[in-house]
DNA sequence: AGAACGTTGTGAATGAGTTCACAGACTAAG
DNA sequence: CTTAGTCTGTGAACTCATTCACAACGTTCT
């Protein structure tokens, strides 16, 4: 099965609304309910659900619980998919805190920082290790995803080491585009670029709005 | 002139390479230089520069300084475009720090938080105000852009107030899609969704990599 | 001067993503 | 049982973005 990138992002968003509705006791939803929440067309929602092979019923819509289960099969992390954070600076610590509080399904196995001040500290249940331990931790702790939150200068070096140690995916906050070999997936999340987009579009008369991505 | 969203993002990225090259004394670049850095095709770069009406010369490529100037005309913030941050929690403070250090061209005029502990404190040169001051600050300090870093529950309320006070653009970190009227531009930057994308794509065999957006 | 090379600018082709529009399906009401 | 109404599933149309491919051009070398 081949699910486009964009669709994954929307499924993740749908899931949040579905969870909320489920907790409110709602059992069915229509494509236009999800569409309204996300500011897209109902046709888009149906198309997305079609690509993951989930079908609803005319006149009753989609089953909230069933759809959540289906999306979960695709998106829920497997138990052997650990995360490692490189760079326990301000952004890195904010992420640790946020993930621990809001996303227990993504356990950060370890943090790495080259500041001796930080090494050995335990931040939100996550131990901070020295730079040199990176390779061992990835091999020993079933880590497949790396979050890169080091300064721009070091980001590519860090990424290279992670790749060599066998990482599968990277989420990068440093303002550089990481170069990785095929088979490793990188998502560069450049906040400064996003801010520049907002500033530009707020200046001229904007037409549309845009979600993450 | 109508510049697509995607192009703005790439221009912002090009600019970083151009600045680096300029500081290294380089005077011309070819489309393939920028393309290589960003992992895209040279044709895409030329197309982008075409849409902003910048032209190079065959055999010499583009003038680094001139191109930087041209992109700057489009992207550089105007002096009357102030920023306000709502929610001086962990992420908000990390942003304050980051913007102050790395992006002095985007001066954050004020922060707002409803935690009495934070109100009155000055964080990285930015004073934290009480919740109720929001409207006054926006009107008095030429603020056109809002950064939303409050919990998900409050995000839409905060956005509504910002919009009513006349904000033009929003950068939103809360995991909800903000609903704003036409004329206001919102960029939702959902880090959890990005992480879920990376996890999914790292699991199956990924093909491509993706930049922010 | 003329030829050879490498790059730009861009129309046209391709590709990806979104929306349209409607047949078929299901429900509820009469 | 039949009719009216609403929603799904989806082929086709459409829109937007990317890539191709090549003429035109500037530079350098002979
Ligand atoms: N703070 C923000 O809100 C923000 C926003 C956008 C982008 N970013 C980017 O995120 C990255 C981190 O930002 P930050 O504000 O947390 O910076 P920071 O300086 O607070 O933290 C960086 C941390 O990385 C560590 N580090 C440096 N080199 C390292 C290496 N080679 N190996 C391991 N650790 C190393 C440092 O010791 C420090 O603790 C930067 O690239 C920054 O541009 C930050
Ligand atoms: N920390 C991260 O790395 C991270 C990552 C992704 C998304 N987010 C999102 O960003 C937002 C902020 O995250 P955080 O980690 O900084 O949370 P936080 O709890 O540390 O900070 C939130 C701040 O907002 C303030 N606040 C709450 N309601 C307010 C209101 N109505 N008006 C003004 N201020 C108000 C609180 O006093 C607090 O200081 C959340 O929506 C979170 O989901 C955070």
């Amino acid at each position: 099965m081949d699910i486009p990138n964009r669709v994954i992002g929307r499924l993740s968003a749908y899931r949040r609304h579905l969870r909320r509705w489920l907790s409110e006791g709602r059992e069915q939803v229509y494509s236009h309910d999800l569409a309204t929440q996300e500011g897209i067309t109902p046709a888009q929602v149906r198309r997305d659900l079609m690509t993951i092979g989930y079908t609803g019923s005319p006149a009753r819509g989609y089953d909230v619980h069933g759809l959540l289960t289906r999306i979960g099969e695709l998106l829920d992390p497997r138990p052997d998919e650990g995360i490692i954070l490189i760079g326990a600076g301000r952004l890195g610590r904010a992420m640790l805190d946020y993930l621990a509080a809001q996303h227990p399904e993504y356990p950060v196995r370890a943090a790495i920082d080259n500041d001796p001040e930080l090494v050995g500290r335990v931040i939100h249940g996550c131990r901070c290790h020295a730079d040199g331990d990176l390779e061992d931790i990835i091999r020993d702790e079933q880590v497949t995803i790396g979050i890169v939150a080091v300064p721009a200068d070091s980001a590519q070096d860090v990424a290279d080491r992670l790749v060599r140690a066998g990482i599968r995916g990277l989420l990068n906050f440093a303002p550089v585009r990481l170069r990785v070999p095929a088979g490793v997936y990188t998502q560069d999340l450049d906040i400064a670029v996003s801010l520049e987009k907002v500033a530009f579009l707020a200046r001229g008369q904007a037409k549309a709005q845009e979600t993450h991505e």
Side-chain angles (χ1 to χ4, degrees), chain A residues 195-212:
Chain A
L195 183 59
E196 235 158 24
K197 277 198 206 175
V198 172
F200 176 82
L201 291 156
R203 189 174 310 146
Q205 65 281 26
K207 316 178 273 224
Q209 70 184 119
E210 191 186 356
T211 312
H212 45 89

Side-chain angles (χ1 to χ4, degrees), chain A residues 91 94-95 98 102:
Chain A
L91 184 60
M95 281 294 293
Y98 171 72
Q102 308 288 328

Side-chain angles (χ1 to χ4, degrees), chain A residues 90-99 102-103 173:
Chain A
R90 291 171 302 256
L91 184 60
R93 288 196 298 266
M95 281 294 293
L96 279 181
D97 204 344
Y98 171 72
L99 291 177
Q102 308 288 328
H103 292 278
F173 288 96

Side-chain angles (χ1 to χ4, degrees), chain A residues 86-92 112-115 118 131 149-152 154 158 173-175 191:
Chain A
I86 320 294
R90 291 171 302 256
L91 184 60
I112 298 275
D113 204 292
N114 64 3
D115 180 348
L118 288 171
D131 215 30
V150 299
S154 321
V158 164
F173 288 96
I191 294 173

Side-chain angles (χ1 to χ4, degrees), chain A residues 9-40 45 63-65 67-68 71 211-212:
Chain A
R10 285 193 297 264
L11 290 174
S12 172
Y14 297 159
R15 186 146 76 143
R16 271 202 293 255
H17 302 298
L18 292 169
R19 285 198 181 119
R20 195 183 64 239
W21 286 326
L22 190 70
S23 79
E24 292 167 359
R26 188 163 179 185
E27 292 181 0
Q28 303 108 32
V29 283
Y30 297 120
S31 57
H32 66 247
D33 295 320
L34 284 165
T36 305
Q37 293 299 314
E38 286 299 304
I40 58 182
V45 173
D63 178 60
V64 174
H65 184 267
L67 181 50
L68 264 175
I71 298 178
T211 312
H212 45 89

